[in-house]
Amino acid sequence: MLSETVFRSDDLPAADRFDCWRELVSRTHAPLELRSDHRADFRASQRVLDLGAVSVWPTTFQPVCFRRSPKLIRQSDPEGLHVSLPLSGALRTVRGEEETEYGPDSLCVVDTSRTVDVHGGDGSLPHSGVGLEVPKALLPLPRNRLDHVTGLRLSVREGFGALLRQLLTQLARGTDAYQPADGPRLGSVAVDLLSALFAQALEAENSLPPETRQQALVVRIRAFVRDHLHDPNLNPGAIAAAHHISRSYLYRLFEHEEQSISAWIRGQRLECARRDLAEPALGATPIHAVAARWGFPRAADFTRAFRSAYGIPPRDYRQGAQGFPE
C-alpha cells in the first residue's frame, strides 16, 4: 500500500485532540487558525497519502472554521493549492464579500497565498471529504491564470473533473492495490488531470504542454475503456473514434505506457473475468458466459488467453478459488 500517516482523535486524550489535529492540518496544508464549538471533545480522522510532491488526505471532522489570514501568509506560504472534494456535510468558503457553497458534485480550490475562511460541517453534523495538495509550481499554467481558479465551483460530474473525482475517491477507499513506489506516478496523474481541468475551466487548453495534454487524454481513454469492457465492439478503432483522434495517434499515445492499448484492454478484460470466476455468487454462471460478458465471444480464445495470463485454465482456477467442481 502507499505510504501514509494516520490520525484518529480517539487515540488521544480529549484535551489534546483539537490541537494535535490543527498541527497536522497546518503541516499538511499551510499554517491556519482553527475555530470549533467542539474543541473540548473534538472528533476527527485523517489519512495523509504520500504521492511524492503531491499529497491526498481523506478526512472526517466535526464542524470547524479554517482561516488563512494575511498574517499567516506573510509568515509562511508554501505556494500551493488545496483542492477539496466534499463527500458529505457542508463546505463553504468566504472570500471578502463573496461566499460560495460546495457539495459532492463540485471541487473547492484554495490558494495558500490568498486569505480565506473555510467552514466545514454544519451545526452538529461532521464533514467528510478528500483533500488534494499540489504545489503551484507543478501546474503548467501561467500564474496569472491560476489566480482565477480559486472561487470557481468546478464540476466533477463529467470530463476531467469526473476522472479526478474517481481517482480521489478510489484512493480514499484504500490503497492496498498500490506499492509505495506507485505514489509519485499517481501524483503525476493527479497533477495532469487537475491541470487539464483548470485549463478547460479557464479556456486555456492551448497553454498546457503537449505531454500534459497527452497524459490527461490517456487517463480519459483508460476510464472510457473500463466503462465499456462489456462491449464486444470495443477496439482501438472504436476508442479512437469516441475521442476524435486517429487510430495511429492512439497507438502513439500508448507507446510510452507499459502496455499497448490492445494488450491493456485484454488484460483488463481477463482480470474482470478472473474476479467473476472467483465470486461464489456467480458459481452457477457457465464459464463461457463469464467470458462473453467480458468481451471474449469464443470460449477457446478465452481459455488460451486466461492460461497464458494466469498459468492455469479458467475451469481449474474457479475450482481452486471457490472450492467446488465445475
Side-chain angles (χ1 to χ4, degrees):
M1 60 188 301
L2 299 178
S3 175
E4 61 180 63
T5 301
V6 178
F7 173 88
R8 289 183 294 265
S9 59
D10 289 347
D11 295 336
L12 298 171
D16 298 334
R17 292 171 180 169
F18 186 77
D19 289 338
C20 287
W21 188 68
R22 176 177 55 191
E23 182 179 344
L24 174 62
V25 172
S26 293
R27 287 201 312 267
T28 306
H29 172 59
L32 295 164
E33 299 172 5
L34 269 67
R35 304 190 308 273
S36 175
D37 294 335
H38 304 271
R39 61 179 300 160
D41 186 16
F42 192 71
R43 306 281 177 166
S45 63
Q46 184 167 306
R47 294 161 46 228
V48 181
L49 312 179
D50 182 4
L51 306 185
V54 173
S55 64
V56 169
W57 41 300
T59 184
T60 299
F61 51 84
Q62 288 181 293
V64 169
C65 175
F66 308 84
R67 177 168 173 75
R68 183 82 174 133
S69 67
K71 179 180 179 180
L72 289 176
I73 294 171
R74 289 193 299 270
Q75 290 176 349
S76 174
D77 184 6
E79 293 281 327
L81 292 182
H82 173 78
V83 182
S84 292
L85 172 64
L87 298 178
S88 66
L91 185 67
R92 179 169 52 90
T93 62
V94 179
R95 298 177 175 92
E97 300 297 321
E98 183 179 352
E99 183 174 317
T100 309
E101 292 190 2
Y102 302 86
D105 62 345
S106 59
L107 293 173
C108 168
V109 182
V110 171
D111 187 336
T112 62
S113 305
R114 293 177 173 271
T115 58
V116 64
D117 286 3
V118 181
H119 300 264
D122 186 15
S124 60
L125 298 177
H127 172 79
S128 292
V130 188
L132 170 66
E133 299 287 340
V134 178
K136 285 186 278 189
L138 294 183
L139 296 166
L141 286 167
R143 185 61 61 88
N144 63 335
R145 301 307 301 274
L146 282 179
D147 290 343
H148 297 288
V149 172
T150 58
L152 294 179
R153 186 189 289 106
L154 299 170
S155 173
V156 294
R157 291 181 175 177
E158 58 187 6
F160 295 115
L163 293 175
L164 184 58
R165 177 185 60 182
Q166 184 180 45
L167 175 63
L168 294 178
T169 54
Q170 179 187 30
L171 292 173
R173 285 195 296 267
T175 63
D176 290 346
Y178 302 105
Q179 300 297 321
D182 295 325
R185 165 170 269 193
L186 289 168
S188 296
V189 170
V191 170
D192 286 336
L193 289 175
L194 188 63
S195 300
L197 177 61
F198 284 171
Q200 190 176 62
L202 298 171
E203 298 182 351
E205 289 95 335
N206 292 335
S207 66
L208 292 176
E211 57 271 19
T212 298
R213 294 200 299 270
Q214 290 173 2
Q215 189 56 42
L217 180 56
V218 168
V219 174
R220 191 167 65 185
I221 289 170
R222 289 187 187 276
F224 175 85
V225 169
R226 291 190 185 98
D227 289 340
H228 293 81
L229 286 173
H230 291 289
D231 185 354
N233 296 316
L234 180 72
N235 56 43
I239 295 167
H243 292 84
H244 309 290
I245 59 177
S246 68
R247 188 181 304 192
S248 60
Y249 183 62
L250 174 65
Y251 290 141
R252 288 200 302 273
L253 284 174
F254 279 78
E255 281 180 353
H256 302 294
E257 300 297 309
E258 294 179 359
Q259 294 176 301
S260 68
I261 180 63
S262 297
W264 186 75
I265 293 171
R266 191 178 187 85
Q268 292 293 300
R269 282 175 159 160
L270 284 169
E271 182 59 18
C272 290
R274 184 196 65 77
R275 288 200 298 266
D276 279 2
L277 291 175
E279 175 55 56
L282 298 175
T285 304
I287 289 177
H288 68 82
V290 171
R293 175 185 297 160
W294 294 110
F296 293 95
R298 292 171 53 87
D301 292 344
F302 173 68
T303 298
R304 282 194 297 271
F306 193 95
R307 184 196 292 268
S308 176
Y310 301 108
I312 186 174
R315 180 186 300 270
D316 295 347
Y317 177 81
R318 172 181 266 183
Q319 290 175 359
Q322 298 193 19
F324 61 85
E326 173 65 19

